[in-house]
Protein backbone atom coordinates (compact mmCIF):
# COMPACT_ATOMS: atom_id res chain seq x y z
CA UNK A 1 0.00 0.00 0.00
CA UNK A 2 0.99 3.62 -0.33
CA UNK A 3 2.39 5.33 2.72
CA UNK A 4 1.18 8.91 3.19
CA UNK A 5 2.72 11.37 5.59
CA UNK A 6 2.00 14.95 6.51
CA UNK A 7 4.92 17.36 6.45
CA UNK A 8 4.51 21.10 6.83
CA UNK A 9 0.85 20.93 5.94
CA UNK A 10 1.57 19.03 2.73
CA UNK A 11 0.77 15.39 2.10
CA UNK A 12 3.56 13.43 0.46
CA UNK A 13 3.22 10.06 -1.22
CA UNK A 14 6.13 7.69 -0.75
CA UNK A 15 5.18 5.15 -3.43
CA UNK A 16 6.01 6.20 -6.95
CA UNK A 17 3.09 6.71 -9.28
CA UNK A 18 0.26 7.03 -6.73
CA UNK A 19 -0.71 10.51 -5.62
CA UNK A 20 -3.16 11.84 -3.10
CA UNK A 21 -5.04 13.34 -6.03
CA UNK A 22 -5.41 9.85 -7.55
CA UNK A 23 -6.79 8.40 -4.32
CA UNK A 24 -9.15 11.33 -3.76
CA UNK A 25 -10.48 11.07 -7.32
CA UNK A 26 -10.93 7.31 -7.04
CA UNK A 27 -12.81 7.69 -3.74
CA UNK A 28 -14.81 10.67 -5.05
CA UNK A 29 -13.75 12.92 -2.15
CA UNK A 30 -11.67 16.06 -1.78
CA UNK A 31 -7.91 15.82 -1.31
CA UNK A 32 -8.34 17.24 2.21
CA UNK A 33 -10.80 14.49 3.13
CA UNK A 34 -8.54 11.83 1.64
CA UNK A 35 -5.58 13.19 3.62
CA UNK A 36 -7.57 13.15 6.88
CA UNK A 37 -8.72 9.57 6.27
CA UNK A 38 -5.26 8.29 5.35
CA UNK A 39 -3.45 10.09 8.15
CA UNK A 40 -6.13 9.57 10.85
CA UNK A 41 -6.51 13.20 11.86
CA UNK A 42 -9.62 15.36 11.98
CA UNK A 43 -13.08 13.91 11.49
CA UNK A 44 -14.00 11.63 8.62
CA UNK A 45 -17.15 9.49 8.67
CA UNK A 46 -16.64 5.74 8.96
CA UNK A 47 -18.05 4.95 5.52
CA UNK A 48 -16.04 7.71 3.85
CA UNK A 49 -12.84 6.58 5.58
CA UNK A 50 -13.41 3.00 4.41
CA UNK A 51 -14.02 4.20 0.86
CA UNK A 52 -10.80 6.23 0.86
CA UNK A 53 -8.79 3.31 2.21
CA UNK A 54 -10.36 0.98 -0.33
CA UNK A 55 -9.56 3.42 -3.13
CA UNK A 56 -5.97 3.77 -1.89
CA UNK A 57 -5.53 0.01 -1.83
CA UNK A 58 -6.98 -0.43 -5.32
CA UNK A 59 -4.83 2.34 -6.76
CA UNK A 60 -1.77 0.75 -5.14
CA UNK A 61 -2.61 -2.67 -6.56
CA UNK A 62 -3.21 -1.17 -10.01
CA UNK A 63 0.28 0.32 -9.89
CA UNK A 64 1.65 -3.19 -9.28
CA UNK A 65 -0.09 -4.51 -12.41
CA UNK A 66 -2.41 -6.81 -10.48
CA UNK A 67 -4.41 -8.71 -13.12
CA UNK A 68 -7.77 -9.11 -11.39
CA UNK A 69 -9.76 -8.08 -8.34
CA UNK A 70 -12.22 -9.81 -5.99
CA UNK A 71 -13.88 -7.06 -3.98
CA UNK A 72 -16.46 -6.56 -1.22
CA UNK A 73 -17.49 -2.91 -1.81
CA UNK A 74 -17.74 -0.61 1.20
CA UNK A 75 -20.58 1.45 -0.29
CA UNK A 76 -23.54 0.78 -2.55
CA UNK A 77 -23.42 4.26 -4.07
CA UNK A 78 -19.93 5.78 -3.99
CA UNK A 79 -18.18 3.39 -6.32
CA UNK A 80 -16.19 5.50 -8.77
CA UNK A 81 -12.96 3.64 -7.92
CA UNK A 82 -14.54 0.30 -8.86
CA UNK A 83 -16.20 1.76 -11.96
CA UNK A 84 -12.75 2.92 -13.09
CA UNK A 85 -11.33 -0.58 -12.69
CA UNK A 86 -14.07 -2.10 -14.83
CA UNK A 87 -13.90 0.71 -17.39
CA UNK A 88 -10.15 0.17 -17.71
CA UNK A 89 -10.74 -3.50 -18.50
CA UNK A 90 -9.61 -5.05 -15.21
CA UNK A 91 -11.37 -8.34 -14.37
CA UNK A 92 -13.53 -7.65 -11.29
CA UNK A 93 -15.78 -9.93 -9.24
CA UNK A 94 -17.83 -8.48 -6.39
CA UNK A 95 -18.56 -10.66 -3.37
CA UNK A 96 -21.31 -10.27 -0.75
CA UNK A 97 -22.45 -6.96 -2.25
CA UNK A 98 -23.34 -5.47 -5.60
CA UNK A 99 -23.13 -1.89 -6.84
CA UNK A 100 -25.68 -0.71 -9.39
CA UNK A 101 -23.21 1.38 -11.38
CA UNK A 102 -20.73 -1.49 -11.70
CA UNK A 103 -21.41 -4.04 -14.43
CA UNK A 104 -19.41 -7.15 -13.56
CA UNK A 105 -19.83 -10.63 -12.11
CA UNK A 106 -20.85 -10.97 -8.47
CA UNK A 107 -21.37 -13.67 -5.85
CA UNK A 108 -24.04 -12.78 -3.29
CA UNK A 109 -26.50 -14.41 -0.93
CA UNK A 110 -30.21 -13.64 -0.80
CA UNK A 111 -30.06 -11.01 1.95
CA UNK A 112 -33.62 -9.82 1.40
CA UNK A 113 -35.01 -13.36 1.41
CA UNK A 114 -32.98 -14.37 4.46
CA UNK A 115 -34.11 -11.32 6.42
CA UNK A 116 -37.69 -12.01 5.42
CA UNK A 117 -37.45 -15.61 6.64
CA UNK A 118 -36.03 -14.45 9.98
CA UNK A 119 -38.92 -12.04 10.50
CA UNK A 120 -41.41 -14.69 9.28
CA UNK A 121 -40.06 -16.99 12.00
CA UNK A 122 -40.57 -14.35 14.69
CA UNK A 123 -44.13 -13.69 13.50
CA UNK A 124 -44.89 -17.44 13.43
CA UNK A 125 -43.84 -17.56 17.09
CA UNK A 126 -46.37 -14.91 18.04
CA UNK A 127 -44.23 -11.77 17.87
CA UNK A 128 -45.88 -8.74 16.29
CA UNK A 129 -43.83 -5.84 17.66
CA UNK A 130 -40.51 -6.71 16.05
CA UNK A 131 -37.77 -4.14 16.50
CA UNK A 132 -35.10 -3.49 13.90
CA UNK A 133 -31.54 -2.51 14.73
CA UNK A 134 -29.93 -1.17 11.58
CA UNK A 135 -26.84 0.82 10.70
CA UNK A 136 -26.50 4.09 8.82
CA UNK A 137 -24.72 2.36 6.01
CA UNK A 138 -25.61 2.54 2.35
CA UNK A 139 -24.04 -0.88 1.85
CA UNK A 140 -26.06 -3.22 -0.36
CA UNK A 141 -26.47 -5.93 2.28
CA UNK A 142 -27.97 -3.54 4.84
CA UNK A 143 -30.41 -2.15 2.28
CA UNK A 144 -31.49 -5.64 1.23
CA UNK A 145 -32.02 -6.81 4.82
CA UNK A 146 -34.09 -3.72 5.58
CA UNK A 147 -36.24 -4.49 2.53
CA UNK A 148 -36.69 -8.08 3.75
CA UNK A 149 -37.82 -6.84 7.17
CA UNK A 150 -40.35 -4.45 5.65
CA UNK A 151 -41.66 -6.95 3.10
CA UNK A 152 -42.17 -9.65 5.72
CA UNK A 153 -44.13 -7.35 8.00
CA UNK A 154 -46.28 -6.26 5.07
CA UNK A 155 -46.94 -9.86 4.00
CA UNK A 156 -48.28 -10.60 7.49
CA UNK A 157 -50.45 -7.50 7.57
CA UNK A 158 -48.31 -5.83 10.23
CA UNK A 159 -47.97 -2.07 9.78
CA UNK A 160 -44.43 -0.73 9.76
CA UNK A 161 -43.82 1.15 13.02
CA UNK A 162 -40.86 3.52 12.64
CA UNK A 163 -40.60 3.80 16.44
CA UNK A 164 -39.45 0.16 16.47
CA UNK A 165 -36.46 0.97 14.25
CA UNK A 166 -33.22 2.12 15.86
CA UNK A 167 -30.26 3.34 13.83
CA UNK A 168 -26.72 2.70 15.00
CA UNK A 169 -23.18 2.78 13.73
CA UNK A 170 -21.84 -0.68 13.01
CA UNK A 171 -19.91 -1.23 16.23
CA UNK A 172 -20.72 -3.20 19.37
CA UNK A 173 -20.65 -0.08 21.58
CA UNK A 174 -23.04 1.91 19.38
CA UNK A 175 -25.31 -1.12 18.94
CA UNK A 176 -25.62 -1.51 22.72
CA UNK A 177 -26.59 2.17 23.05
CA UNK A 178 -29.13 1.90 20.22
CA UNK A 179 -30.64 -1.26 21.71
CA UNK A 180 -31.00 0.38 25.13
CA UNK A 181 -32.75 3.34 23.48
CA UNK A 182 -35.09 0.99 21.64
CA UNK A 183 -36.05 -1.02 24.72
CA UNK A 184 -36.40 2.10 26.88
CA UNK A 185 -39.36 3.30 24.83
CA UNK A 186 -42.83 3.10 26.31
CA UNK A 187 -44.00 0.77 23.54
CA UNK A 188 -40.92 -1.34 23.22
CA UNK A 189 -40.46 -4.33 20.89
CA UNK A 190 -40.90 -7.91 22.08
CA UNK A 191 -38.42 -9.30 19.54
CA UNK A 192 -35.43 -7.83 17.74
CA UNK A 193 -33.96 -8.27 14.26
CA UNK A 194 -30.54 -6.84 13.39
CA UNK A 195 -29.00 -6.27 9.96
CA UNK A 196 -25.37 -6.62 11.01
CA UNK A 197 -23.52 -9.39 12.86
CA UNK A 198 -21.47 -6.80 14.77
CA UNK A 199 -24.70 -5.58 16.36
CA UNK A 200 -25.88 -8.99 17.53
Amino acid sequence: MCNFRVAGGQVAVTQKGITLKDVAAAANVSRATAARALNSYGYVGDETALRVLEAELLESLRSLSIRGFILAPTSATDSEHIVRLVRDGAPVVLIDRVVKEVHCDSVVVDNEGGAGEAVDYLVANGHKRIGLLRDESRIFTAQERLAGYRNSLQSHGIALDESLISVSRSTVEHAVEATIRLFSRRKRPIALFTVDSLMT
Side-chain angles (χ1 to χ4, degrees), residues 50-102:
L50 281 173
R51 192 169 74 250
V52 170
L53 293 174
E54 181 180 75
E56 182 215 12
L57 176 59
L58 291 181
E59 289 298 309
S60 298
L61 292 173
R62 282 164 56 100
S63 74
L64 298 173
S65 300
I66 300 298
R67 295 187 178 183
F69 299 85
I70 300 174
L71 306 171
T74 57
S75 173
T77 55
D78 298 312
S79 56
E80 180 58 31
H81 51 298
I82 302 175
V83 171
R84 287 176 59 187
L85 283 178
V86 174
R87 187 174 58 229
D88 292 346
V92 174
V93 175
L94 302 182
I95 58 170
D96 190 43
R97 304 160 189 166
V98 297
V99 180
K100 291 180 181 178
E101 298 83 6
V102 178

Side-chain angles (χ1 to χ4, degrees), residues 137-192:
S137 172
R138 291 174 287 175
I139 292 175
F140 170 80
T141 50
Q143 294 174 347
E144 291 285 290
R145 292 167 189 167
L146 174 60
Y149 168 83
R150 287 178 166 163
N151 292 340
S152 176
L153 291 179
Q154 184 178 30
S155 72
H156 293 287
I158 301 172
L160 179 67
D161 184 346
E162 294 288 345
S163 73
L164 294 177
I165 299 176
S166 189
V167 179
S168 166
R169 292 172 67 184
S170 189
T171 66
V172 173
E173 294 79 11
H174 287 97
V176 168
E177 292 173 6
T179 302
I180 290 172
R181 285 197 309 271
L182 192 59
F183 281 87
S184 296
R185 293 173 182 166
R186 187 171 61 86
K187 292 185 177 181
R188 63 186 185 182
I190 59 172
L192 184 64

